[in-house]
Amino acid sequence: MDETLTQKNIRTRLAQPSDYERIISVMPSWWNGRNLTALLPELFLLHFYDTSFIVEQGGELIGFLVGFMSQSRQDEAYIHFIGIHPDFRQQAIGAALYERFFEICRRRGRSIVRAQTSPVNTGSVKFHAKMGFQVEYKDKVKFTKYL
Ligand SMILES: CC(C)(COP(=O)(O)OP(=O)(O)OC[C@H]1O[C@@H](n2cnc3c(N)ncnc32)[C@H](O)[C@@H]1OP(=O)(O)O)[C@@H](O)C(=O)NCCC(=O)NCCS
């Protein structure tokens, strides 16, 4: 998969704090008009950038993942947001970002990955199911993946 992405000049790197504004600027359109930017304050990019990723093609932002290792739960990690540019979906880019994050988790001794989405976001629910997450349905959809 990484080879295919390389052929398309799609590159993934660790995030930097300076990526914050670009991420925020694309979120409403990538989330189909839902403005979730208040759920992603700048502190995530200031304190968790080395467990977060940016995907670019020719310098254009086409994907990101913001995640972190739980400070309180030593065997857990959390993926707070993932977003892929609408024109680049269903090309396994989201899956590749999750796999990169899982790899960091394994290296850091984390065996549980959690995430959460809204029940209205059926695409995200299906994506997480494909990525091996178990679903708890409550007012929010909470996911858990055991590595
Ligand atoms: C959810 C999202 C991140 C998926 O990214 P993606 O790059 O399109 O996902 P992938 O191509 O890697 O898909 C991985 C698997 O999930 C499936 N999948 C992905 N999106 C899906 C959808 N909307 N409906 C059904 N299945 C989906 C793929 O078919 C693939 O399955 P496969 O392994 O059988 O081929 C992307 O649609 C997105 O950015 N959505 C808007 C933001 C969002 O909702 N983020 C999640 C909450 S924070």
Side-chain angles (χ1 to χ4, degrees), residues 13-20 23 45-46 49-50 52-54:
R13 61 170 171 80
L14 284 179
Q16 291 295 319
S18 56
D19 292 310
Y20 178 71
I23 290 173
L45 268 292
L46 293 174
Y49 61 87
D50 68 333
S52 300
F53 301 109
I54 293 292

Side-chain angles (χ1 to χ4, degrees), residues 100-136:
R100 280 194 186 222
F101 187 78
F102 297 159
E103 194 47 45
I104 291 178
C105 293
R106 290 186 190 97
R107 282 208 304 271
R108 298 193 186 186
R110 310 292 168 133
S111 56
I112 298 172
V113 182
R114 297 194 193 277
Q116 184 169 322
T117 203
S118 161
V120 302
N121 195 343
T122 54
S124 173
V125 172
K126 288 175 184 162
F127 168 75
H128 282 89
K130 286 279 183 176
M131 295 308 301
F133 283 78
Q134 299 172 20
V135 183
E136 287 172 42

Side-chain angles (χ1 to χ4, degrees), residues 1 4-5 8 10 62 82-96 122-128 130-131:
M1 186 60 236
T4 313
L5 297 181
K8 293 181 184 170
I10 292 173
I62 62 166
I82 181 171
I84 305 297
H85 187 299
D87 294 345
F88 291 85
R89 291 182 189 162
Q90 303 280 359
Q91 298 177 44
I93 298 173
T122 54
S124 173
V125 172
K126 288 175 184 162
F127 168 75
H128 282 89
K130 286 279 183 176
M131 295 308 301

